[in-house]
Amino acid sequence: FRDFVRAVSPDLSLPSAQFSPQDLANAVQAESPVRTELVRPRLRDATIDLIAAFELYAEIGGFPTAVSDYLTGRAIQQSTYLELWDVLRGDLNRYYQVRDATIPLKILERLALNVANPVSWQKIAREADVDVKSVQAYVDLFTDAHLFLVVHRWDGGTLARNADKKIYPIDPLVAGLATAVNLRERFVPNRTLMAESMLGVALFRATETEAFTPFGVQHGVVYYRTGANREVDFLVGTDR
């Protein structure tokens, strides 16, 4: 996001990037370093422009070609989506011997349509009209390709591997990739879901030290459901 702002609004003031996840969690406290930073005049005056830049980033993402498209024509070109898809399809062919792109494209689209909502691989399989093992295999490939972050539910001090997962695109551009390739109206999740997605990815980058294991499993960021069935979007840290 910081690089995006520097590209589209180079004169816009940005807050410090040195805050820890704990600093962000304590931001509501009167003397928190985050609150102290945000009330500085230069940032207070830039708040509206920063919000606008954040909302724009949720639509454009940070891929250099997409940003260039926006700067020159205020819209992402179809050729940019096709170029990204060609790279992904080439990798699937080269490294995993996937020659028919029909199934991965269907799964990619269903993952995007379920962004930030708890979902099972069985539901994705039904919607894409494929078997569950195919969904698991392609989720593994897509996370290896750094297209999606999979967040598992935390239950009883461990990952609830069989519970519904939450899917977040690593870059907002990915959410609209499949619909663009299929020549349908570009799908863009609503701003609330994209804000949750971008926060989840940011927390993952700030806290995760391990690589993904099969099926997109990572332990740095999880979600939680209380006894009253209320959802906590993210838990991070070892003291959760």
Side-chain angles (χ1 to χ4, degrees):
F1 174 66
R2 300 179 72 84
D3 290 338
F4 176 82
V5 171
R6 293 189 183 103
V8 301
S9 301
D11 297 327
L12 186 59
S13 295
L14 286 164
S16 170
Q18 303 305 312
F19 298 124
S20 68
Q22 189 63 45
D23 290 333
L24 297 175
N26 295 330
V28 295
Q29 298 178 6
E31 302 301 322
S32 73
V34 174
R35 198 179 187 92
T36 301
E37 171 77 359
L38 293 180
V39 298
R40 297 182 188 276
R42 67 179 181 86
L43 287 177
R44 188 175 61 244
D45 294 343
T47 298
I48 294 177
D49 291 334
L50 278 171
I51 292 173
F54 183 79
E55 292 176 347
L56 181 61
Y57 177 74
E59 297 181 17
I60 304 299
F63 278 94
T65 307
V67 176
S68 177
D69 285 348
Y70 173 77
L71 291 174
T72 56
R74 293 298 187 264
I76 303 174
Q77 299 299 308
Q78 176 73 3
S79 59
T80 297
Y81 287 108
L82 295 178
E83 180 180 343
L84 177 58
W85 174 242
D86 284 344
V87 171
L88 175 59
R89 185 173 58 181
D91 286 347
L92 290 174
N93 188 359
R94 184 178 306 109
Y95 299 114
Y96 305 102
Q97 291 74 54
V98 176
R99 288 168 174 73
D100 182 358
T102 304
I103 291 178
L105 190 59
K106 289 168 65 175
I107 294 173
L108 183 66
E109 181 172 20
R110 300 319 305 181
L111 291 174
L113 291 172
N114 286 280
V115 160
N117 290 306
V119 66
S120 68
W121 297 155
Q122 288 80 4
K123 180 176 185 289
I124 297 293
R126 288 194 302 271
E127 293 178 347
D129 194 24
V130 299
D131 61 83
V132 174
K133 288 185 178 180
S134 293
V135 173
Q136 292 176 326
Y138 281 109
V139 167
D140 195 10
L141 299 185
F142 292 151
T143 53
D144 281 349
H146 302 287
L147 293 181
F148 288 97
L149 171 68
V150 178
V151 172
H152 286 70
R153 198 175 86 189
W154 190 250
D155 186 20
T158 188
L159 295 184
R161 295 285 293 273
N162 294 323
D164 290 353
K165 291 82 173 164
K166 300 185 78 172
I167 312 296
Y168 301 108
I170 295 295
D171 186 277
L173 182 72
V174 174
L177 177 58
T179 52
V181 172
N182 286 326
L183 299 178
R184 291 198 286 272
E185 182 179 354
R186 182 193 169 201
F187 169 73
V188 179
N190 69 48
R191 289 174 177 172
T192 299
L193 296 179
M194 283 309 301
E196 178 183 332
S197 177
M198 291 186 289
L199 177 59
V201 172
L203 288 171
F204 172 74
R205 287 171 171 162
T207 61
E208 181 63 23
T209 58
E210 301 176 358
F212 287 113
T213 54
F215 310 141
V217 177
Q218 51 82 28
H219 296 75
V221 179
V222 295
Y223 80 96
Y224 179 71
R225 195 171 293 281
T226 70
N229 204 34
R230 301 192 64 172
E231 186 177 296
V232 178
D233 288 329
F234 303 114
L235 295 179
V236 299
T238 57
D239 58 348
R240 58 192 173 209

